[in-house]
Amino acid sequence: MKRVKILVGLLFLATATVGCSDFLSEVPDNRTQIDTPKKVGELLVGAYPKATFVEFAEQMSDNVIDNGKLNLTTLQSEQNFGWLVSTEEDYETPKEFWMASYAAIATANTAIEALEKMEKEYANKPTSQNGLKQLKGEALLSRAYNHFMLVNLWAKSYDPKTAESDMGVPYVTGVETQLKQQYKRNSVAEVYKLIEQDLLEGLEKIKGAQYANPGVTKYHFTEASAIAFAARFYLYKGDYTKSIEYSNGLGSLPIGKLRDVAMISKWDSARNEREFAKPELETNLLVMTSPSRKRRTNATSRFVLTQGEATKSDKGLFSPNSSPLGIAWNYPNVNYTNNDAFYVPKFYENFKVNDFTNMTGIPHVSFVLFSNDMLFLDRMEAFVMENRIDEALKMYTYLVLLRSNIKPELKPETLLDAIEYDDVAAVIDYVPGKYTPVKEINEKQAVMLEAVAEMRRREGFHEGFRWFDIRRFNLEIKHQVIGGEELILKKGDLRYQLQIPQVAIDNGVTANSR
């Protein structure tokens, strides 16, 4: 197969000029023609970001504290913990995620352009057209997802009152034809509108999609993961009715579809790491593998949730006192003594050797981007925001029972009166104004919203999801530096938005205010 040449601009690649003379010196017919569905399918493997937000998002959140072990400090972790502008370019940095996301978008756009040409050529071949439709659906969904993540890290959360004027991110829909292409930041409203268009068209086209190799299915968008994406998109946009509609297939009590925490709590940590992101698990809907040291940094970072903090009697995140049932949570965990880290085993490292002489290479980890567990929580939150408290409480009770250390013979679906609203309120210890979503809510909604967010915090612990809730609900959080100052991220703080990478600023993309 001839060499593929995809030109990606300086928006996300600092080294775009490297190899420029080689590119310009090549004759046009030395470039691969993406002219068959098979070639597009191979190309779309690159339409998912080869980087992760997990590490920096987690360290910016209230899921970590300073354990005081200065020997475990890195510049990047200090910058994350203090919400400072990142200057690093290694794995799991904001710049790396920005670059990888726009590289994935460039791949999706190349696939879409090739597919649109093939659609005309195969106009009279219905069978081939069907395959093209599903491939285009995946490309559109990938483009939408990558922009969704970018806008929810580098721009303000969607607020219908200000979305038209809030700066979003550049929404790239075409294949680049210039070496140095200029980009402008679309507004948050424009970005969400374009995401919605791609999402809905992609969802319609991907219905019934199947892959020849079932083992790779969940490494690509499918109808199930696209539906979970739609439910989250509309939740973030504040269209709670639509969010519920998309999650209806899961049901209020998705028996057997959620992660079996009671079972996995009996496994050792090594097995839990191997099993967590397996595509064979029904709960896992979309899995992505990228270069990552996450398996290592849980044990070697200064900024972690310590064992004492996680289990402290005063409502530690994993303490029995944080449960409305007053009993222990069943989440499997271990303690890393060198940094006193409370670790829920989720990350299995696959070390890919690229130099067998020196045995050097790149560590890779798989991450779950969408799951039935998170879809269940998104659905629950939508019920709360629609003021359907009884339905939300029923779902909340079901999940708490599933995650609690109760006797195996007790069926959670038969114990739905085990938790009442007053039990939840007692655990949450409601503080007016603590959670301030863009939609005005009453006290009951605020209590239940915090309860749902705390459950999501446990479910997504280590995975970076907490940072998105902090942004959406304008949570004030504090980071105490051992032997130093208390750092405070106040409501409305401009540091909720990551700073645009310097390479993009240098090439004309407007920086965020600070």
Side-chain angles (χ1 to χ4, degrees), residues 5 34 64 90 243 245 303 309 325 394 474 505:
K5 284 283 186 180
I34 309 299
V64 301
D90 204 352
S243 183
E245 287 175 0
F303 304 107
E309 186 71 18
L325 295 173
K394 183 178 179 182
N474 290 291
I505 295 172

Side-chain angles (χ1 to χ4, degrees), residues 100-116:
S101 297
Y102 275 113
I105 289 166
T107 300
N109 287 335
T110 301
I112 291 169
E113 181 183 72
L115 287 165
E116 288 175 348

Side-chain angles (χ1 to χ4, degrees), residues 301-320:
S301 177
R302 171 183 167 189
F303 304 107
V304 295
L305 186 67
T306 62
Q307 185 76 18
E309 186 71 18
T311 59
K312 66 180 182 180
S313 59
D314 183 21
K315 296 186 177 65
L317 185 59
F318 291 95
S319 164

Side-chain angles (χ1 to χ4, degrees), residues 174-187:
V175 175
E176 296 177 350
T177 57
Q178 302 175 38
L179 179 61
K180 186 173 181 179
Q181 192 130 342
Q182 294 297 311
Y183 292 90
K184 71 177 184 67
R185 294 180 66 173
N186 297 85
S187 70

Side-chain angles (χ1 to χ4, degrees), residues 285-304:
L285 302 178
L286 182 62
V287 178
M288 180 270 295
T289 299
S290 77
S292 171
R293 297 192 185 98
K294 183 60 180 169
R295 170 62 183 81
R296 308 179 191 191
T297 55
N298 285 308
T300 59
S301 177
R302 171 183 167 189
F303 304 107
V304 295

Side-chain angles (χ1 to χ4, degrees), residues 185-384:
R185 294 180 66 173
N186 297 85
S187 70
V188 170
E190 289 170 336
V191 173
Y192 266 72
K193 182 180 179 180
L194 291 166
I195 291 172
E196 185 172 21
Q197 289 175 1
D198 282 348
L199 170 59
L200 295 180
E201 185 181 352
L203 184 54
E204 179 60 32
K205 290 182 181 296
I206 209 165
K207 285 181 179 178
Q210 295 181 343
Y211 294 89
N213 180 1
V216 305
T217 298
K218 290 185 180 178
Y219 291 100
H220 299 265
F221 265 110
T222 61
E223 185 175 356
S225 53
I227 287 171
F229 177 22
R232 186 173 299 169
F233 169 80
Y234 284 112
L235 182 73
Y236 280 30
K237 190 181 179 185
D239 191 337
Y240 308 111
T241 301
K242 278 191 178 179
S243 183
I244 292 169
E245 287 175 0
Y246 278 103
S247 65
N248 275 339
L250 184 64
S252 292
L253 301 179
I255 298 171
K257 293 183 178 180
L258 304 184
R259 195 176 300 275
D260 189 347
V261 171
M263 178 182 71
I264 67 176
S265 63
K266 301 172 185 175
W267 298 345
D268 62 22
S269 60
R271 182 173 180 183
N272 270 303
E273 288 174 342
R274 291 194 304 271
E275 297 284 338
F276 184 82
K278 273 193 172 180
E280 294 87 351
L281 294 182
E282 185 170 5
T283 186
N284 293 338
L285 302 178
L286 182 62
V287 178
M288 180 270 295
T289 299
S290 77
S292 171
R293 297 192 185 98
K294 183 60 180 169
R295 170 62 183 81
R296 308 179 191 191
T297 55
N298 285 308
T300 59
S301 177
R302 171 183 167 189
F303 304 107
V304 295
L305 186 67
T306 62
Q307 185 76 18
E309 186 71 18
T311 59
K312 66 180 182 180
S313 59
D314 183 21
K315 296 186 177 65
L317 185 59
F318 291 95
S319 164
N321 288 339
S322 65
S323 166
L325 295 173
I327 59 178
W329 297 102
N330 229 357
Y331 294 95
N333 65 86
V334 294
N335 176 227
Y336 284 127
T337 54
N338 63 317
N339 64 346
D340 192 26
F342 183 92
Y343 174 54
V344 178
K346 295 181 174 183
F347 309 109
Y348 176 73
E349 181 178 301
N350 178 20
F351 190 80
K352 296 185 178 180
V353 178
N354 55 23
D355 182 347
F356 284 92
T357 301
N358 298 303
M359 292 306 293
T360 58
I362 300 174
H364 285 71
V365 173
S366 291
F367 300 93
V368 180
L369 302 184
F370 290 100
S371 67
N372 281 331
D373 300 275
M374 285 300 181
L375 177 57
F376 187 72
L377 283 156
D378 289 347
R379 178 177 173 81
M380 199 190 311
E381 182 187 320
F383 277 127
V384 170

Side-chain angles (χ1 to χ4, degrees), residues 30 91 122 129 132 161-162 180 223 325 330 361 397 404 453:
N30 193 37
Y91 298 145
Y122 295 2
Q129 278 283 51
L132 297 181
K161 298 187 294 294
T162 62
K180 186 173 181 179
E223 185 175 356
L325 295 173
N330 229 357
T397 301
S404 299

Side-chain angles (χ1 to χ4, degrees), residues 118-178:
M118 278 184 265
E119 283 171 356
K120 296 176 182 178
E121 296 173 11
Y122 295 2
N124 298 319
K125 301 177 182 179
T127 303
S128 297
Q129 278 283 51
N130 186 54
L132 297 181
K133 181 178 73 171
Q134 293 178 357
L135 288 168
K136 189 173 182 181
E138 181 184 357
L140 288 166
L141 288 164
S142 296
R143 184 167 76 184
Y145 172 74
N146 283 289
H147 283 109
F148 179 74
M149 295 303 297
L150 288 162
V151 78
N152 278 290
L153 286 168
W154 275 274
K156 291 183 178 179
S157 295
Y158 187 92
D159 183 339
K161 298 187 294 294
T162 62
E164 293 287 352
S165 57
D166 289 338
M167 282 195 300
V169 295
Y171 203 99
V172 184
T173 59
V175 175
E176 296 177 350
T177 57
Q178 302 175 38

